[in-house]
Amino acid sequence: MEVLLFGIAKDIVGKSEIRFSEADTLPGSVGDLKRRLIASYPEFGKLSSLAVAVNSEYATDAVFLTKNDEIAIIPPVSGG
Amino acid sequence: MEKPIIEIVETIDTARVYDELSDAKSGGICVFVGTVRDFTNNESVISLEFEAYKSMALKEMEKIVDQAAEKWSMNKVVIRHAVGLKKVQEPVVVIGVSTAHRDACFAACRYMIDTLKETVPIWKKEMFEDKSVWVSAHP
């Protein structure tokens, strides 16, 4: 399972994606993924907001994740 | 409404947008051009760097046009955002719409830029003399 990182999320982790291998316990839901990110990288907890997109759509914490989903961390957006 | 022009590009040519929006059924064209400003909170900005989650950003921009089309009768629409390093005064976003009458034109243009700033996954980093900051990242 790959999780794409953008903006400050890329800076916090130090790379543009996080890879969970089959050997790891994969995060089961968006909420689970967020909790694990904040546990591993406390800087995520200090952001104004932390959203997750699944297959290019904003996803609530309850959304389940599967290894073939395209998952992305969406830190506070600032386009325009 | 004609098929909208929705793009993420390296460089914005603001001179194109009039021809893209010009339309026989429209009595008005509104265009918002977002540009790089030289100061933020009294600190001198050298440049802005834009990054996009391109596939999702294009989808979110399409949604914004669809939402605006439900509220107002629009004839032509352009939404074009730049990515990469942009210097002071360079254009970074163009939102344009042509409509029969001006009220809808102003309202739709305003709605689309305001919503873009809230929902489209694009990020900007302000580069100062001695540091760089992801805009809006922290409270």
Side-chain angles (χ1 to χ4, degrees), chain A residues 11 48 57-58 70 75 78 80, chain B residues 53 63 81 119 122 124 134 137:
Chain A
D11 287 359
S48 313
E57 297 283 345
Y58 285 106
E70 181 171 300
S78 53
Chain B
Y53 177 16
K63 284 184 199 169
H81 204 296
T119 64
I122 295 177
K124 66 170 162 263
W134 287 104

